[in-house]
Amino acid sequence: MAFIQIANQREVRNMNQYFKISTLIVTSLAAVLLFTSFEEVFNPSPWGENEDYLFPRFIAGGIAVLALLLWFERDDKGKPTNFMDLLPGLGLILAYIISMNTIGFYMASMIMFFAVIMIYKKPEETKDFWRVLLIKLSISTVFTLILYCLFTLMLQVRLPGGLFF
Amino acid sequence: MEFLDYFSNVFTAYHLALLIGGTFAGIILGALPGLSPTMSVALLIPFTFHMKPESGLILLGAMYTATVAGGAISAILVNVPGAPANIATAMDGHRMAKLGKAKQALHYCFISSFVGGIFGVIILIFFTPPLARLSLEFGTTELFWIAILGITIIATIDSKSVVKGLLSGLFGLMLATIGDNPVLGVERFVFTDHLEGGVNIVVGLIGLFAMPQVLNLMEKYYSDKNAVLSSKGDSSLMQSFRFVFGKVKALSIGSFVGSLIGIIPGAGGQIAGLVAYDQTKKVSRNQSNYGKGEPEGIIAAESANNSMVGPSLIPLLTLSIPGSPTAAVLLGGLLIHGIFPGHEIFVSENTAPVVWTFIDSLILAQIFMLIIGLFLSRHSGWIMKVPDNYMAVSILVLAVFGTYSIGNSYSDVIIMVVLGTIMFFASKAGFSAVPVVLGIILGPIAENNFLLGKLIGGARYGDDWMIYFTTGTINVTLIVICISSIAYGLYSNRKSKRSA
Amino acid sequence: MKFMKITKIALLAVTSLMFMHAQADYPDKPIGVMVAYGPGGATDFQARIATLASGKEALIGQPIYILNKPGAGGRTGWNWFASEASKDGYMLAAYNVPHFIAQSIVFDTAYNINTLEPLGNWGADPAVLIVNKDSPFNTVADLLAHADANPGAVTISGAGKFVGHHIAFLQFAKASGRDLTYIPAKGGVDALRLVKAGEVSAGFNNLSDSARSAADLKILAVADLTRHSYLPDVPTLMESGVDVDDSSVNFRGLMVPAGTPQDVIDFLASKTPDMFNDKKTQGKMKSTNSPARVMTRDEVIAMWNERQAYLTDLLAGLQ
């Protein structure tokens, strides 16, 4: 916990920097968009005359102008990101999305549910490890079963299949 | 008074059971983050396949009415609007909930939904013939100006900085150009196969609202005190009724704007809530409260959402032109039963009983929606007490389910997660999700109608195709509204800056 | 003699047992049909009606469920079908000709007529030339006369590019030799709205949808080889003096991806026409105003090949 707090303090100090980074990202995004929307001019389509990229070009132009104005915006400094607490979650989400296609939606959801409530827990939950584990495992199972009854049995939605379901 | 003759058809045990069941299920499905009204009605169509036409339609109508209102529950309680229509509700509703007034917010929401809904059905019953003609007047160029009108509210809605608001909106417009464009017959910005289908509006909505909420709950899990919110100023149901009916201005603007947008083909109730919200805000005396938990915002948005339902059936039933995406799915439901839309649908011997029974059931659906909704609001406090870790993962799983089931597409899930993660970090730098969604909704309407209008104008007037966009009563009216909307926005922006 | 007879019977029994075995194996679970358009659309509900009878023991013997994969004018669904769907006969798809053939020529798609195997055809929805009920045009000749006087000013709407309506327009413009403007709307409903609101001079649209809206429209001609039973008084384009054949007719049917075992294809191909011809199914097709035309696998293969050759030619002229 102390570790996280140190990280937080550092983030606070970097707030201004964070804002500059976002402005930099928006500006480069504008440049990329502007470039791609004009790509057509360099590689004309075989289908001849067209206005295919007229609208995107207009929007990209608008984004570019606003990105420049953004450098003069001073009233909003932005909020820091607590990466320490966020990263495990982001990793789990990535694993969840990837595994969904192979082990099936319900299996992946159950594991995801269990993993999130096991990893994100309050200090007082760590005392009786096996008991907590068992309770959380059953909550995950019940949650998944409810989803299965609602979506697959009642609404007859087809979800990515895999193991068990 | 023909509609009175068919009420007896609704009052059979079977039909009442369908109505109550459909309304209840609709509110629940609507309240699940990720399940939009269009989705819910689409899921139900196969079930109505084996029913009698009027039974099937009663179920679909109850579903349509209830999901639109149900979407407000998740908007208020977890800040994840169930449908694009509920975005405006989330802006003030969730902040009210955070102030400990979740129950009041839900009360206001269902009562104003009821008022708007009844208003909409009355419009449908009494004014169908003239409004069907009016609905045809909204052609290509008119739809273009409506999209522009929507874009004018982007800059000031839900963000402190005009530059950032516009940037978010333009980002949404850009997202909307990805993928196939039927008017141009090309695919644009398809860097990977996943993007071929483009960014679906509801996929964008789920990504932009649900994902940041999930990541927020995870990030703040240890630092936030996860305080159980005590409800303050616990007002009774009677007080809520009195309060809502006291807000005549918000209610009437909401119902009127909602009905009007409902009859415009294709524009859809998606923007009804936001436009009504913006208009009410502009004429309101306590403008600065909007976005901070102003009940008027909820009342305007929700009455608009539900008043859109009835009128969106006017072009559908008479001209076979749906007035909203959900109405488009309903069209399939009608055709399956051999009920063919047309001017004679209300008088023909075969269709009149079915259609009038359907319309009568919509009135009852509003009443059941109100009763069930108010009942559920009393018992939905526990959602606010769900621990953050459980809440985060539940929203995530439902969001993935909702996204996948829209097009049975894994690519949509990837788009949703990536978009949501970007939005999470962007919101740290002061960008808002509302203008992005507005951009995704309005982008195709603006672009496609501009291109079509240019083609038609070009064929009519040659190089002076602009004439096509600037003539006609509705076009001129819309242009004037656009200009005054921008002018008023600038004026009030300056005024508020000076006073600050 | 007796021995011969016994062997004959034994052989027969063995072969029939083997045959029954093959049938008993497939299908043993519900079969999916991927529809590349959203729920509630014409292709979607027609597919639901056409496959209603699949559960009958004499037919496929298993229920069929619909899986919607809409997006990019159908390309999202068909791309998925050709590249990722299982090739074991448990995932079929609905096809729309000429849409998917035209798309496979114009776009870089995972599918074309060689990577797909048709099973049978259930419906054929010809494009019709329509004008607003208040329009001054009453015949195709009126419309063409107006086009002569005002080159480029005649606008004709249709449901987007490279679909049946667009093909019909291209053929019509080519055969009549007039300078016409195509207005590609976003979907058939929008194209119909443009005509009903009088924004365009005329439109190509589905026969089924146009016949339903008879009160708001005048139907000038059918883009097919023969007149249609729903509209016996409406002439074909050929009768009206414009040489347009049936290449734009929207055929709908079922297919599997190439690579599916031949015996599965043969089994399904032998059953699908009977399934489409089921009495209840045909009755429902009629009551929903969906024009039916049942064709066998061989007929569909011939039709696909013909369209492929013709469309390659027609669309090449666009470049």
Side-chain angles (χ1 to χ4, degrees):
Chain A
M1 277 316 227
F3 189 60
I4 293 164
Q5 264 160 15
I6 293 169
N8 270 346
Q9 281 165 10
R10 196 176 300 148
E11 300 272 3
V12 175
R13 244 176 279 141
N14 290 351
M15 262 182 0
N16 271 318
Q17 206 177 335
Y18 191 91
F19 169 65
K20 283 212 182 94
I21 291 170
S22 75
T23 309
L24 204 64
I25 292 173
V26 171
T27 314
S28 34
L29 180 78
V32 171
L33 287 177
L34 210 54
F35 178 75
T36 31
S37 63
F38 274 101
E39 200 208 324
E40 264 260 319
V41 180
F42 307 123
N43 303 314
S45 116
W47 302 92
E49 56 83 33
N50 58 56
E51 303 164 318
D52 295 355
Y53 284 81
L54 188 72
F55 200 71
R57 217 168 283 156
F58 187 68
I59 304 168
I63 293 182
V65 171
L66 288 165
L68 293 179
L69 287 178
L70 197 59
W71 288 98
F72 302 99
E73 284 270 309
R74 297 233 172 265
D75 26 335
D76 203 336
K77 288 209 177 80
K79 288 173 224 144
T81 309
N82 178 0
F83 278 105
M84 287 308 290
D85 293 344
L86 187 64
L87 280 178
L90 273 177
L92 281 176
I93 292 172
L94 193 68
Y96 173 49
I97 299 304
I98 292 170
S99 65
M100 198 178 106
N101 244 356
T102 43
I103 63 171
F105 172 77
Y106 290 112
M107 199 63 208
S109 299
M110 197 176 112
I111 297 173
M112 178 68 185
F113 198 98
F114 181 65
V116 168
I117 54 178
M118 280 307 283
I119 289 174
Y120 288 91
K121 58 184 172 194
K122 299 284 177 203
E124 64 267 22
E125 285 176 298
T126 47
K127 271 182 233 156
D128 199 345
F129 182 77
W130 290 108
R131 218 179 76 104
V132 170
L133 186 98
L134 212 65
I135 292 171
K136 289 193 167 175
L137 199 59
S138 31
I139 292 176
S140 317
T141 318
V142 169
F143 177 77
T144 316
L145 277 177
I146 292 173
L147 289 189
Y148 180 76
C149 292
L150 184 63
F151 298 150
T152 299
L153 298 184
M154 283 176 64
L155 293 175
Q156 297 178 356
V157 179
R158 302 266 159 184
L159 289 155
L163 302 173
F164 307 114
F165 287 111
Chain B
M1 290 294 131
E2 204 174 354
F3 74 100
L4 291 172
D5 303 342
Y6 296 97
F7 262 112
S8 54
N9 287 0
V10 188
F11 284 106
T12 63
Y14 178 54
H15 284 165
L16 281 179
L18 276 181
L19 252 180
I20 296 174
T23 312
F24 185 76
I27 294 181
I28 299 289
L29 287 183
L32 292 180
L35 269 174
S36 66
T38 313
M39 232 350 259
S40 312
V41 173
L43 282 175
L44 221 67
I45 280 198
F47 290 92
T48 62
F49 206 68
H50 302 288
M51 294 179 182
K52 282 204 295 191
E54 58 266 36
S55 314
L57 284 175
I58 286 175
L59 185 57
L60 291 176
M63 199 70 167
Y64 187 11
T65 307
T67 40
V68 172
I73 296 183
S74 57
I76 290 171
L77 295 181
V78 285
N79 199 19
V80 180
N86 303 112
I87 297 171
T89 316
M91 291 192 291
D92 279 300
H94 186 62
R95 271 137 206 164
M96 264 186 86
K98 275 195 157 171
L99 297 170
K101 291 190 254 176
K103 211 175 90 183
Q104 281 99 314
L106 286 171
H107 280 173
Y108 299 160
C109 146
F110 281 105
I111 296 168
S112 46
S113 288
F114 171 75
V115 174
I118 292 285
F119 181 81
V121 180
I122 288 174
I123 297 270
L124 170 66
I125 292 175
F126 293 105
F127 299 99
T128 289
L131 288 181
R133 269 196 301 280
L134 179 66
S135 128
L136 266 190
E137 295 291 315
F138 283 91
T140 310
T141 49
E142 287 83 3
L143 288 178
F144 170 76
W145 288 116
I146 285 173
I148 296 298
L149 180 64
I151 290 171
T152 61
I153 69 176
I154 277 181
T156 48
I157 205 151
D158 200 42
S159 45
K160 274 176 234 140
S161 142
V162 174
V163 174
K164 282 179 185 172
L166 282 174
L167 263 174
S168 318
L170 288 176
F171 180 64
L173 289 174
M174 202 72 190
L175 285 176
T177 64
I178 294 174
D180 172 64
N181 182 306
V183 176
L184 294 161
V186 289
E187 288 182 353
R188 291 176 298 186
F189 306 111
V190 181
F191 306 112
T192 122
D193 287 346
H194 291 302
L195 285 172
E196 189 180 31
V199 181
N200 179 298
I201 292 170
V202 182
V203 172
L205 176 86
I206 300 171
L208 294 168
F209 283 90
M211 271 304 285
Q213 189 66 8
V214 170
L215 295 174
N216 246 326
L217 290 171
M218 286 173 164
E219 182 200 14
K220 305 247 165 64
Y221 186 67
Y222 298 105
S223 41
D224 257 14
K225 286 287 173 290
N226 201 13
V228 176
L229 294 158
S230 56
S231 47
K232 286 173 215 157
D234 197 16
S235 74
S236 75
L237 200 55
M238 270 328 285
Q239 279 169 307
S240 295
F241 267 105
R242 221 169 290 142
F243 183 83
V244 173
F245 284 107
K247 298 285 179 190
V248 179
K249 201 158 60 178
L251 271 180
S252 44
I253 291 179
S255 305
F256 184 75
V257 169
S259 307
L260 188 66
I261 288 180
I263 62 163
I264 298 171
Q270 320 226 29
I271 54 168
L274 281 168
V275 172
Y277 178 89
D278 190 65
Q279 296 306 321
T280 317
K281 179 179 168 184
K282 278 188 178 135
V283 299
S284 171
R285 255 170 291 136
N286 38 359
Q287 252 187 57
S288 52
N289 271 349
Y290 278 71
K292 291 173 193 157
E294 170 60 48
E296 269 181 26
I298 303 177
I299 294 169
E302 281 305 313
S303 54
N305 285 341
N306 269 53
S307 70
M308 173 275 301
V309 171
S312 77
L313 299 172
I314 291 177
L316 176 78
L317 292 173
T318 54
L319 300 158
S320 184
I321 296 166
S324 77
T326 318
V329 179
L330 264 178
L331 176 61
L334 285 170
L335 296 183
I336 280 182
H337 290 296
I339 310 281
F340 304 136
H343 299 291
E344 63 288 347
I345 197 168
F346 295 101
V347 284
S348 150
E349 261 174 59
N350 299 324
T351 52
V354 178
V355 171
W356 284 115
T357 308
F358 170 54
I359 293 173
D360 289 347
S361 80
L362 282 178
I363 299 181
L364 286 179
Q366 304 291 347
I367 298 169
F368 286 126
M369 184 264 303
L370 177 70
I371 296 169
I372 298 174
L374 290 177
F375 173 78
L376 286 176
S377 346
R378 268 178 69 184
H379 299 280
S380 53
W382 62 273
I383 294 180
M384 302 286 292
K385 291 179 193 144
V386 172
D388 285 352
N389 49 353
Y390 287 84
M391 188 52 106
V393 73
S394 308
I395 297 176
L396 177 71
V397 170
L398 287 172
V400 168
F401 164 77
T403 311
Y404 184 85
S405 56
I406 289 167
N408 292 296
S409 160
Y410 184 59
S411 302
D412 283 348
V413 177
I414 297 174
I415 294 174
M416 186 273 286
V417 170
V418 170
L419 206 57
T421 313
I422 295 174
M423 190 65 238
F424 170 74
F425 287 108
S427 68
K428 297 270 175 185
F431 293 96
S432 160
V434 180
V436 185
V437 179
L438 213 49
I440 298 179
I441 295 171
L442 295 172
I445 302 177
E447 178 175 24
N448 293 339
N449 285 300
F450 175 75
L451 293 167
L452 287 180
K454 189 161 177 273
L455 275 174
I456 298 172
R460 282 196 194 173
Y461 309 105
D463 286 338
D464 302 322
W465 52 269
M466 269 303 285
I467 295 173
Y468 193 53
F469 282 89
T470 50
T471 49
T473 328
I474 301 180
N475 275 338
V476 173
T477 317
L478 285 168
I479 295 171
V480 170
I481 298 176
C482 280
I483 294 171
S484 43
S485 170
I486 296 173
Y488 191 82
L490 289 174
Y491 165 75
S492 62
N493 198 33
R494 272 185 82 182
K495 201 172 71 176
S496 68
K497 266 208 178 129
R498 204 174 296 158
S499 63
Chain C
M1 269 311 260
K2 213 174 183 184
F3 175 72
M4 283 285 276
K5 212 173 181 179
I6 290 169
T7 19
K8 231 181 186 172
I9 291 169
L11 265 173
L12 215 79
V14 169
T15 44
S16 66
L17 257 175
M18 274 169 67
F19 186 64
M20 275 175 69
H21 182 71
Q23 274 202 327
D25 260 11
Y26 175 85
D28 60 0
K29 58 178 182 187
I31 298 172
V33 168
M34 190 283 295
V35 171
Y37 298 97
T43 308
D44 174 73
F45 81 76
Q46 286 188 20
R48 289 178 199 273
I49 294 170
T51 55
L52 263 181
S54 73
K56 286 190 179 166
E57 219 34 66
L59 298 170
I60 293 176
Q62 283 288 344
I64 280 181
Y65 65 88
I66 303 289
L67 188 73
N68 298 91
K69 273 187 182 286
R75 296 202 286 287
T76 308
W78 288 320
N79 269 331
W80 171 86
F81 186 68
S83 53
E84 284 174 57
S86 62
K87 297 176 174 32
D88 54 7
Y90 287 104
M91 186 48 75
L92 322 179
Y95 64 73
N96 290 66
V97 171
H99 308 51
F100 91 86
I101 297 180
Q103 289 171 2
S104 74
I105 294 167
V106 177
F107 296 100
D108 180 23
T109 56
Y111 56 88
N112 55 54
I113 61 165
N114 300 318
T115 59
L116 301 164
E117 296 280 353
L119 301 172
N121 191 81
W122 80 68
D125 204 347
V128 290
L129 185 62
I130 50 174
V131 294
N132 188 284
K133 67 170 187 302
D134 301 326
S135 162
F137 314 122
N138 289 311
T139 60
V140 176
D142 292 350
L143 188 69
L144 292 178
H146 185 72
D148 278 335
N150 310 285
V154 169
T155 45
I156 300 184
S157 71
K161 285 200 169 166
F162 314 116
V163 296
H165 305 161
H166 190 203
I167 309 287
F169 169 81
L170 292 173
Q171 287 186 298
F172 183 68
K174 201 171 161 187
S176 68
R178 303 316 201 276
D179 184 9
L180 309 168
T181 308
Y182 184 62
I183 308 293
K186 194 175 186 277
V189 171
D190 240 15
L192 207 55
R193 180 180 63 77
L194 289 173
V195 179
K196 286 180 181 175
E199 284 202 68
V200 290
S201 330
F204 275 110
N205 219 297
N206 304 330
L207 181 134
S208 53
D209 296 323
S210 311
R212 272 200 294 272
S213 304
D216 302 311
L217 303 169
K218 281 188 279 192
I219 304 179
L220 302 186
V222 182
D224 202 347
L225 297 175
T226 55
R227 291 186 181 207
H228 201 275
S229 59
Y230 289 5
L231 303 164
D233 301 332
V234 177
T236 63
L237 276 172
M238 273 182 187
E239 289 174 47
S240 313
V242 186
D243 190 24
V244 172
D245 65 3
D246 62 342
S247 296
S248 62
V249 174
N250 186 350
F251 284 94
R252 295 188 174 103
L254 293 179
M255 60 183 180
V256 288
T260 306
Q262 193 59 44
D263 53 336
V264 170
I265 296 181
D266 292 341
F267 171 76
L268 288 170
S270 69
K271 299 292 186 190
T272 36
D274 294 339
M275 176 172 80
F276 298 151
N277 273 324
D278 181 79
K279 212 173 142 213
K280 201 178 152 203
T281 303
Q282 286 297 319
K284 194 109 183 158
M285 291 286 276
K286 210 172 167 62
S287 74
T288 56
N289 223 352
S290 317
R293 192 183 299 177
V294 177
M295 288 159 69
T296 62
R297 169 170 156 85
D298 293 332
E299 288 170 328
V300 179
I301 291 177
M303 185 260 291
W304 279 17
N305 285 326
E306 197 187 305
R307 293 289 179 279
Q308 173 79 21
Y310 179 79
L311 291 177
T312 313
D313 209 41
L314 183 77
L315 295 171
L318 268 186
Q319 293 189 12

